[in-house]
């Protein structure tokens, strides 16, 4: 634990993004998996205006911007083997752009069914399958699948679905996350509180469902952790946290490793307070799961996760001036990217001397944006505090 505390607390800001023409909240971050000769890594950021900005990772200069017109984009993910960037759109498509081309036109378009509104998605580790989750329409909340392989024989940029799962969620599917190394395993989370694990190599939905876990609240974030990534964790919109072990499915051991109804009530942070959760990070080298949270004034908290609970490790401050919405931690070089409601993308690196940057003020953004961005609920916290 001392090592991770030292690594995290040793991070300093080396770059702030340039001021965009249109300030927005930065909701999600991914980085390119390939580094071409004489060309650096790219960073893709989902913005609250429904667009994706592509940055140069080292300079944080904005290179280009893609939009989901006529829909708004949700989620951002680079291909594992190409510089292709994907996002799900509320217009019922998943779009793919070449991140190194200035053309705003997607190079591939994965079409859903009529009335599909996609709010979550992922592409599996071998880039063969895309899965997207829909808002509930009528009585349907669907997981839709496509073949994402590049077909050298067909030049069509448009793809129709392979099929859907329709029986396992009863409300908006807010999260889809493929296993980091097994291309057939995928986990989904919904506002119905359910977290479902599937093996898509099995023919039908009923048999493909490996297990269902219940968070008892609306799911805001899910991920894989543990040795061989056989554990899953979940965060909820009212700042709950759950952690399950799939190794115990066929044993008498309980599958639940940890279940916290409201993290804000039980974690004692060393400085200030904890207002919300941002996401999780499984550190392979250390075989530890960490939870990232923050304050409304921009401080970032790192917590260690064990079966005994969440323990505050350390905090980062002096970077953001408002709620932090997204992060990407590169465990290879221990660098950190963070994005916030102050419209800033920050690059943190260990051991470097922090340059003098002016801390940006919090932003006031038009109300249309607030309809799309994640809202952290304080209601349950305040209600229990009064009791």
């Amino acid at each position: 634990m001392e090592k991770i505390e030292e690594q995290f607390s040793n991070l300093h800001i080396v770059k702030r993004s340039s001021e965009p023409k249109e300030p927005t909240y930065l909701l999600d971050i991914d980085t390119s998996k390939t580094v071409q000769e004489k060309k650096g890594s790219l960073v893709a950021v989902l913005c609250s205006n429904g667009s994706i900005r592509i940055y140069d990772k080292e300079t944080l200069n904005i290179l280009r911007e893609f939009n989901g017109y006529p829909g708004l984009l949700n989620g951002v993910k680079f291909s594992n083997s190409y510089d292709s960037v994907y996002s799900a759109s509320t217009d019922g498509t998943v779009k793919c752009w070449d991140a190194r081309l200035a053309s705003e036109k997607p190079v591939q378009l994965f079409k859903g069914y009529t009335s599909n509104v996609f709010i979550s998605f992922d592409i599996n580790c071998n880039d063969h399958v895309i899965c997207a989750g829909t808002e509930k329409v009528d009585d349907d909340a669907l997981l839709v699948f496509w073949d994402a392989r590049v077909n050298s024989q067909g030049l069509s940029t448009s793809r129709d679905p392979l099929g859907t799962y329709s029986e396992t969620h009863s409300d908006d599917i807010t999260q889809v996350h493929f296993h980091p190394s097994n291309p057939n395993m995928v986990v989904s989370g919904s506002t119905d509180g359910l977290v479902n694990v599937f093996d898509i190599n099995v023919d039908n939905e009923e048999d493909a469902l490996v297990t269902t876990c219940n968070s008892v609240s609306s799911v805001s974030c899910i991920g894989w952790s543990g040795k061989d990534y056989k554990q899953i964790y979940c965060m909820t919109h009212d700042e709950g946290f759950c952690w399950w072990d799939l190794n115990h499915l066929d044993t008498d051991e309980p599958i639940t490793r940890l279940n916290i109804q409201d993290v804000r009530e039980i974690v004692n942070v060393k400085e200030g307070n904890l207002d919300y959760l941002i996401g999780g990070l499984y550190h392979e080298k250390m075989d530890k799961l960490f939870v990232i949270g923050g304050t409304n004034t921009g401080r970032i908290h790192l917590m260690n996760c064990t079966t005994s609970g969440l323990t505050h490790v350390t905090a980062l401050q002096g970077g953001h001036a408002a709620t932090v919405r997204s992060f990407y931690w590169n465990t290879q070089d221990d660098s950190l990217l963070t994005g916030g409601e102050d419209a800033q993308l920050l690059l943190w690196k260990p051991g470097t001397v922090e340059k003098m940057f002016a801390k940006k003020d919090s932003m006031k953004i038009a109300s249309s944006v607030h309809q799309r961005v994640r809202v952290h609920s304080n209601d349950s916290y305040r209600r229990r505090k009064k009791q």
Side-chain angles (χ1 to χ4, degrees), residues 130-150:
I130 290 173
C131 176
T134 72
E135 283 187 351
K136 182 182 178 182
V137 176
D138 296 327
D139 290 327
D140 293 326
L142 306 177
L143 287 169
V144 183
F145 296 87
W146 295 267
D147 184 342
R149 290 173 293 182
V150 177

Side-chain angles (χ1 to χ4, degrees), residues 12 23 34 64 66-67 140 164 181 185 212 238 290 300 324 336 338-339 350 371 375 381:
H12 298 286
T34 60
R64 56 196 62 91
F66 304 123
N67 68 69
D140 293 326
T164 67
S181 58
M185 299 295 289
T212 295
D238 52 6
F290 296 97
I300 302 169
V324 179
L336 177 71
T338 57
Q371 297 172 11
V375 175
Y381 178 65

Side-chain angles (χ1 to χ4, degrees), residues 23-212:
T24 66
Y25 295 177
L26 306 185
L27 304 179
D28 199 4
I29 301 172
D30 197 20
T31 64
S32 58
K33 312 300 189 292
T34 60
V35 179
Q36 297 182 8
E37 189 176 355
K38 297 182 180 179
K39 294 182 180 179
S41 293
L42 300 176
V43 177
V45 177
L46 174 70
C47 303
S48 57
N49 64 358
S51 70
I52 286 175
R53 290 193 190 125
I54 304 297
Y55 295 80
D56 179 284
K57 185 182 177 183
E58 294 306 314
T59 65
L60 294 192
N61 291 329
I62 299 174
L63 303 176
R64 56 196 62 91
E65 189 166 346
F66 304 123
N67 68 69
Y69 184 82
L72 296 175
L73 298 175
N74 290 286
V76 62
K77 184 75 183 288
F78 271 102
S79 160
N80 294 288
S81 50
Y82 306 98
D83 284 324
S84 302
V85 65
Y86 297 82
S87 188
S89 176
T90 56
D91 67 7
T93 65
V94 174
K95 303 177 193 295
C96 172
W97 295 269
D98 186 329
R100 296 195 180 273
L101 297 181
S103 172
E104 290 190 8
K105 186 177 180 181
V107 293
Q108 281 190 299
L109 196 65
F110 300 89
K111 293 184 177 180
Y113 298 102
T114 305
S115 80
N116 283 170
V117 176
F118 294 122
I119 57 173
S120 57
F121 87 103
D122 198 10
I123 183 166
N124 71 349
C125 61
N126 61 13
D127 295 331
H128 287 183
V129 178
I130 290 173
C131 176
T134 72
E135 283 187 351
K136 182 182 178 182
V137 176
D138 296 327
D139 290 327
D140 293 326
L142 306 177
L143 287 169
V144 183
F145 296 87
W146 295 267
D147 184 342
R149 290 173 293 182
V150 177
N151 186 352
S152 58
Q153 298 176 347
L155 299 178
S156 172
T157 60
S158 181
R159 299 281 181 93
D160 291 323
L162 294 170
T164 67
Y165 289 167
S166 61
E167 304 297 327
T168 39
H169 284 297
S170 60
D171 213 333
D172 299 351
I173 299 174
T174 54
Q175 290 280 298
V176 176
H177 212 84
F178 275 100
H179 191 279
S181 58
N182 183 339
N184 296 318
M185 299 295 289
V186 64
V187 60
S188 61
S190 166
T191 54
D192 63 12
L194 300 183
V195 175
N196 292 323
V197 182
F198 298 95
D199 180 353
I200 63 171
N201 202 37
V202 180
D203 284 342
N204 63 75
E205 179 178 359
E206 183 179 356
D207 293 336
L209 182 63
V210 175
T211 191
T212 295

